[in-house]
Amino acid sequence: MADPVSSPPPPLPNGRSLLGFSLTSPDLVICAGSPDLMSNNTIFQNSPEILDRNKYYSTELSLDNGISGSPESRAKEETSRSVKFSPFCQTFYNKELSPDSSIELSLQGAIPAPLPGVIGINVGCTTDDGAVTVVDGLSFGKDSCFHGGDTVRTNAVEDERLSLYQTARMGNFSYCFGGLEAGDYDVALHFAEIVFTNGPPGLRVFDVFLQDKKVVSHLDIYAQVGANNPLVISDLKACVGRGQDLRVRFEGLIGSPILSAISITKDDSACAGEEALLAKRMRSQVPECESPKISDPEMEEDYQTLLSAYESQKSKLTETRKALEEVNRENMLKTKECQEAWKTLEDLQNELMRKSMHVGSLAFAVEGQVKEKSKWFSALKDLTRKLQIMKGDQIKLSEEARSYKACMVDMNGMMSIIQSTMKHQVHVHGDLMKKFVEGAKERKELYNKVLELKGNIRVFCRCRPLNSEEVAAGASMAIDFESAREGELTVFSNGIPRRTFKFDSVFSPQANQADVFEDTAAFATSVLDGYNVCIFAYGQTGTGKTFTMEGTKEARGVNYRTLEELFHIIKEREKLFRYEVSVSVLEVYNEQIRDLLVSSSQPTATLEIRQAVEGQHCVQGLVEARVNNVHEAWDVLQTGSTARTVGSTNANDHSSRSHCLHCVMVKGENLLNNECTRSRLWLVDLAGSERVAKTEVQGERLKETQSINRSLAALGDVIFSLANKSAHTPFRSTKFMLLGGDSKTLMFVQISPNESDLSETLCSLNFASRVRGVELGPAKRQLDTSELVKYKQMVRMFLTI
Ligand SMILES: Nc1ncnc2c1ncn2[C@@H]1O[C@H](COP(=O)(O)OP(=O)(O)OP(=O)(O)O)[C@@H](O)[C@H]1O
């Protein structure tokens, strides 16, 4: 006897496998939010329809056919195991299932009953999706008869012919078609990968069961036809017994199964053949019995015995049939009970599934809460620790505050002491400041006094060395510097000492520029103390006036060194004094004043001297360039010097034919008492004095030389006027009145050592000596003006020879 149950009930699904994900995993959230799933679809909204379990588990018992079906039908089953793709699929994609995939077809025991039936379902399609889809003459209506899974929809499949594949069902689901006539059916399944459209293969592998028999195994749609392409597996044979349902179930091996459409058509030919075969077998198994005619009494007896045995067997068979029918009825009842139990079980499973999902989401939420709680807990722990530290700090601070409070009392006492000390100090400071200002003033006055004692007009004599031409010509020295340290020099003529001169300083040809400046530096201090200073070089052409004043880049002269000293003292005094320095450069040429800072391209206006304050004069409209350091000042002075008028004389190839006057204006402010000063430093390189007869010049150059000599004679007037401290300069015709006023004057008298220049040398020395003598001696104050006039006339006479 065969097993009375045609197919075992499917294994009881648990909530976890139904869900397809771990309850505590975040898959739940990801699935719900996946863009591949329709957002308005939930598992609850797509609850499966209740299957007709009366049919699902009904079992037909037949002694005639047995459970496995006839050998013929088994033979047919063997031959019908095949994989068939629809022409549609083959035409468009021409692909086959992978070797791993196989499709099995099993023929169930069937009772022949010619029933019409064609079912087409567009899986995942709802009534909202519109009209019925027709493919290959078969209509596909809205989705029904399903159990489990979710609907999926895609817009990627736009071809109208492929509209069947725009919707699908995904998950572990099954279809159950009830009310079918008993018989064989052809089942065609339509698949398309519309979710994992980017692959790779192997993301979704599943099996298909027909009437609980696996007919397709390890199906991987993406591996077969790629994404958004149809795959049709047709001619899957299913046999439906009387009162049975047709069941198609999908089980995922990797991921969830997916189905786009399903079609079922009745296979009449198979049923007809099966029916005929069944009738033949029925006939062969139940032959008609006729009573044979037996003549032999023994045989008659045997026959009767057999007949009675047959009758008894027949009655037993009838009883057995009755018993079987009874068993069948009981079985039906039990089946009904089982179906009810199954339905209850399924309800429970659904409930369990819902609960599991709820538990899953709760678990997820709890997990989140736990995480949040632990976060808060650690934050709380952190805060507690900080609070403890702060408490400790607060205790320390309280202690410190207490000690500070105690200190404050002492501090207040100290404060009052400090305040009174401060007051005293401020008072002392005021006194000190007053004393300092007075001291500074006193120092200035004393310094000035010293300079005054040295003489307001001081005369330094400097002798240049014999130049190479003079040496080559065998020139002899006319000056002896043995007593130069005492400020004396002796003039020789033909080897006999003719006369000795005494000056404030005498510099022999061996003295360098630094030696010369050593005694000059004090004048820079005087300028910053607010005194006017005038330093000029006087002498015969080519005796080194320009060399002493300007110098060269390698051997800086008085001009550069005085400026350097000036800015050095300004830097030293910067905390006590604020100074502003500006410079002008002008030349006196042919009795005309020219501003050397005005570009030669600009029209030159005749500059005139005006009286500024009592005893002081200034040039109106003279450019004054503001300078901040020695470099800026030197650059400006150099610009002016290069514009100076020079010419060639017998005595000097590059003789200065004009008087070059550099004026440095200093404005000072004492930051302690706000006392302001305004002073000038004149640095004058005079044109060379020379005798007209000696230089043999004529025409313009003669006029030029005469003009130079005239102005130098006028300089004598100015100097003597300074010596007299006369507020009124009697020689207004000279431009040197500029140098007038309360000036300290330093005169460099430059001489030549050459004996052939002796007469010019004597003239210069005499002039310088008289000037010095006039100024220095106490006789100065009682200076005889007739004597002064005599000297001036001497100078004039000498210069015009
Ligand atoms: N003390 C000295 N040591 C070395 N060389 C000197 C010295 N004095 C003058 N000389 C040189 O003598 C030459 C003439 O000097 P400088 O031009 O300075 O004379 P000057 O008196 O300015 O002439 P002028 O009045 O014609 O302009 C220059 O070549 C200069 O370098």
Side-chain angles (χ1 to χ4, degrees):
M1 286 292 280
D3 190 346
V5 181
S6 61
S7 59
L12 191 66
N14 59 39
R16 197 168 282 242
S17 66
L18 274 173
L19 288 170
F21 52 78
S22 163
L23 288 175
T24 52
S25 78
D27 292 357
L28 178 65
V29 178
I30 293 164
C31 285
S34 167
D36 294 318
L37 296 173
M38 284 187 67
S39 58
N40 59 351
N41 266 342
T42 64
I43 287 174
F44 303 105
Q45 282 168 337
N46 289 286
S47 297
E49 292 175 2
I50 303 302
L51 300 174
D52 185 355
R53 293 294 166 194
N54 290 328
K55 293 176 181 174
Y56 190 79
Y57 276 108
S58 65
T59 310
E60 284 296 324
L61 184 67
S62 167
L63 287 173
D64 298 329
N65 290 326
I67 301 304
S68 303
S70 64
E72 287 81 355
S73 67
R74 209 175 276 127
K76 189 181 177 187
E77 176 191 337
E78 291 294 321
T79 54
S80 65
R81 287 169 190 257
S82 63
V83 178
K84 287 185 185 175
F85 292 92
S86 75
F88 175 75
C89 175
Q90 286 168 354
T91 308
F92 282 91
Y93 299 98
N94 197 23
K95 293 192 176 183
E96 294 180 1
L97 287 171
S98 71
D100 293 339
S101 304
S102 67
I103 297 173
E104 298 164 3
L105 181 67
S106 64
L107 186 66
Q108 305 293 320
I111 294 170
L115 290 173
V118 175
I119 299 169
I121 288 180
N122 185 357
V123 173
C125 171
T126 61
T127 42
D128 302 335
D129 293 310
V132 168
T133 309
V134 178
V135 176
D136 289 345
L138 189 63
S139 301
F140 291 81
K142 68 164 185 139
D143 199 2
S144 63
C145 303
F146 57 84
H147 177 86
D150 290 311
T151 53
V152 188
R153 185 182 299 272
T154 182
N155 292 327
V157 182
E158 286 173 351
D159 192 331
E160 214 173 291
R161 294 196 66 193
L162 304 179
S163 59
L164 209 54
Y165 301 90
Q166 284 172 344
T167 56
R169 180 162 294 281
M170 198 173 79
N172 274 348
F173 57 90
S174 61
Y175 277 82
C176 182
F177 303 98
L180 295 175
E181 290 175 357
D184 284 352
Y185 288 83
D186 282 336
V187 178
L189 301 172
H190 299 251
F191 302 99
E193 181 55 69
I194 59 170
V195 177
F196 298 129
T197 51
N198 291 324
L203 287 180
R204 188 196 303 286
V205 182
F206 58 95
D207 293 340
V208 183
F209 294 82
L210 207 56
Q211 298 298 68
D212 297 322
K213 291 275 182 183
K214 192 191 285 182
V215 290
V216 178
S217 71
H218 290 86
L219 179 60
D220 184 347
I221 306 163
Y222 189 89
Q224 294 298 326
V225 293
N228 297 326
N229 289 329
L231 170 67
V232 183
I233 299 175
S234 57
D235 285 355
L236 297 173
K237 300 292 180 188
C239 189
V240 178
R242 193 182 302 141
Q244 269 188 333
D245 300 332
L246 194 154
R247 299 180 302 279
V248 189
R249 185 160 53 83
F250 301 82
E251 275 186 13
L253 300 170
I254 300 168
S256 305
I258 192 165
L259 178 69
S260 297
I262 184 166
S263 66
I264 299 164
T265 49
K266 184 111 188 298
D267 186 358
D268 287 326
S269 61
C271 284
E274 195 69 19
E275 266 177 55
L277 188 67
L278 201 63
K280 193 179 165 194
R281 293 188 68 186
M282 287 287 282
R283 274 197 302 277
S284 67
Q285 284 178 15
V286 190
E288 286 179 12
C289 296
E290 287 178 12
S291 301
K293 289 181 181 176
I294 301 164
S295 52
D296 189 354
E298 278 184 13
M299 281 178 73
E300 178 64 25
E301 193 181 335
D302 289 344
Y303 171 74
Q304 286 302 326
T305 312
L306 285 171
L307 194 63
S308 64
Y310 167 72
E311 285 300 328
S312 80
Q313 286 292 325
K314 198 176 173 183
S315 64
K316 271 183 187 174
L317 183 65
T318 310
E319 279 169 18
T320 306
R321 273 187 178 157
K322 276 180 185 170
L324 277 173
E325 277 170 11
E326 188 59 34
V327 167
N328 201 14
R329 263 196 306 280
E330 278 177 18
N331 186 41
M332 291 283 279
L333 282 171
K334 292 288 179 197
T335 302
K336 204 173 173 183
E337 280 173 20
C338 276
Q339 282 167 354
E340 279 167 6
W342 179 254
K343 191 171 177 296
T344 311
L345 184 64
E346 196 150 271
D347 287 345
L348 285 170
Q349 280 169 359
N350 286 337
E351 186 62 26
L352 180 66
M353 186 170 73
R354 278 194 290 273
K355 294 283 183 200
S356 299
M357 284 179 65
H358 187 60
V359 166
S361 56
L362 280 175
F364 195 65
V366 165
E367 202 174 297
Q369 290 290 328
V370 167
K371 274 184 192 162
E372 193 74 3
K373 195 178 162 189
S374 69
K375 216 161 77 184
W376 281 110
F377 186 72
S378 64
L380 189 69
K381 219 165 129 184
D382 207 32
L383 282 172
T384 310
R385 192 171 50 79
K386 279 181 187 163
L387 187 71
Q388 272 172 356
I389 293 166
M390 281 167 78
K391 267 183 184 169
D393 287 350
Q394 194 237 342
I395 292 164
K396 267 189 211 161
L397 284 170
S398 306
E399 279 170 9
E400 276 177 25
R402 266 198 295 280
S403 61
Y404 280 136
K405 213 171 168 184
C407 281
M408 277 295 281
V409 181
D410 298 343
M411 289 271 282
N412 284 338
M414 278 169 73
M415 273 286 280
S416 60
I417 294 167
I418 288 168
Q419 269 172 359
S420 64
T421 315
M422 279 277 283
K423 259 183 204 162
H424 177 68
Q425 289 299 326
V426 166
H427 185 68
V428 170
H429 179 258
D431 284 353
L432 281 174
M433 194 141 120
K434 208 171 156 190
K435 278 181 188 160
F436 176 77
V437 172
E438 281 168 6
K441 203 172 166 187
E442 209 172 319
R443 180 204 60 80
K444 203 161 86 178
E445 281 166 9
L446 283 172
Y447 189 77
N448 190 38
K449 268 273 184 312
V450 170
L451 287 179
E452 267 177 18
L453 283 173
K454 283 184 177 177
N456 268 345
I457 297 180
R458 302 178 70 201
V459 181
F460 292 175
C461 178
R462 188 179 192 188
C463 181
R464 70 163 170 82
L466 285 172
N467 60 38
S468 52
E469 285 165 17
E470 289 168 329
V471 172
S476 54
M477 289 280 286
I479 316 290
D480 174 57
F481 293 99
E482 212 162 279
S483 307
R485 285 196 176 178
E486 283 77 47
E488 287 180 0
L489 60 86
T490 307
V491 179
F492 279 72
S493 173
N494 295 324
I496 303 161
R498 292 275 302 273
R499 199 172 158 193
T500 297
F501 292 90
K502 186 166 174 65
F503 297 107
D504 295 294
S505 287
V506 170
F507 299 105
S508 71
Q510 284 74 41
N512 61 26
Q513 300 282 59
D515 299 333
V516 172
F517 183 69
E518 207 170 294
D519 290 339
T520 314
F523 286 89
T525 313
S526 273
V527 175
L528 295 174
D529 283 345
Y531 293 98
N532 291 329
V533 171
C534 175
I535 303 172
F536 68 93
Y538 172 91
Q540 183 198 344
T541 296
T543 49
K545 296 185 292 296
T546 308
F547 184 79
T548 296
M549 297 305 289
E550 295 268 337
T552 59
K553 202 172 179 188
E554 297 74 37
R556 298 286 193 193
V558 167
N559 291 357
Y560 184 88
R561 289 168 193 268
T562 309
L563 286 170
E564 203 173 38
E565 179 70 7
L566 206 71
F567 281 103
H568 173 69
I569 299 168
I570 288 173
K571 181 82 186 152
E572 271 184 351
R573 293 184 180 183
E574 68 183 350
K575 285 186 181 152
L576 299 170
F577 291 87
R578 184 168 44 233
Y579 289 103
E580 277 181 21
V581 182
S582 50
V583 292
S584 302
V585 187
L586 55 108
E587 73 169 350
V588 179
Y589 178 69
N590 282 346
E591 297 293 315
Q592 296 289 317
I593 297 174
R594 195 155 74 94
D595 190 342
L596 294 182
L597 293 185
V598 173
S599 162
S600 55
S601 58
Q602 289 179 24
T604 47
T606 313
L607 298 174
E608 290 303 328
I609 297 172
R610 296 266 184 275
Q611 177 137 12
V613 289
E614 201 183 332
Q616 283 201 19
H617 295 83
C618 68
V619 180
Q620 237 180 9
L622 192 68
V623 172
E624 293 183 2
R626 182 75 206 282
V627 290
N628 297 304
N629 53 53
V630 66
H631 304 294
E632 286 179 14
W634 187 245
D635 284 350
V636 176
L637 296 189
Q638 282 301 103
T639 309
S641 294
T642 49
R644 192 181 170 190
T645 307
V646 290
S648 176
T649 68
N650 273 2
N652 192 356
D653 282 348
H654 298 284
S655 179
S656 310
R657 307 314 299 154
S658 66
H659 309 295
C660 180
L661 288 78
H662 294 161
C663 184
V664 181
M665 285 138 296
V666 179
K667 277 186 204 171
E669 187 190 350
N670 188 328
L671 299 175
L672 295 175
N673 59 4
N674 296 327
E675 189 184 86
C676 292
T677 57
R678 194 182 276 258
S679 52
R680 286 168 188 237
L681 165 67
W682 287 100
L683 300 162
V684 183
D685 179 13
L686 293 171
S689 66
E690 55 198 331
R691 282 182 291 169
V692 174
K694 191 182 178 186
T695 49
E696 297 168 6
V697 289
Q698 290 178 344
E700 269 303 301
R701 190 47 55 86
L702 174 66
K703 213 174 121 190
E704 190 183 72
T705 307
Q706 284 170 341
S707 167
I708 291 168
N709 290 339
R710 247 196 326 275
S711 62
L712 285 172
L715 173 67
D717 298 338
V718 174
I719 291 166
F720 296 129
S721 145
L722 290 175
N724 278 334
K725 292 208 183 313
S726 165
H728 172 68
T729 310
F731 310 100
R732 292 211 174 273
S733 58
T734 178
K735 304 299 175 195
F736 289 118
M737 71 175 86
L738 270 174
L739 311 178
D742 183 22
S743 293
K744 296 176 191 306
T745 306
L746 171 61
M747 173 183 173
F748 280 98
V749 58
Q750 300 283 146
I751 55 169
S752 160
N754 196 339
E755 197 168 359
S756 64
D757 293 327
L758 191 62
S759 57
E760 283 90 350
T761 303
L762 277 171
C763 190
S764 294
L765 289 172
N766 275 323
F767 179 70
S769 183
R770 301 289 181 272
V771 167
R772 182 171 176 270
V774 166
E775 171 61 23
L776 276 180
K780 181 207 142 214
R781 284 186 195 93
Q782 301 92 30
L783 188 68
D784 185 355
T785 45
S786 60
E787 183 84 351
L788 186 65
V789 172
K790 200 173 90 190
Y791 287 133
K792 281 193 280 181
Q793 279 170 351
M794 271 174 63
V795 171
R796 274 209 200 98
M797 274 173 66
F798 174 76
L799 291 170
T800 47
I801 293 167

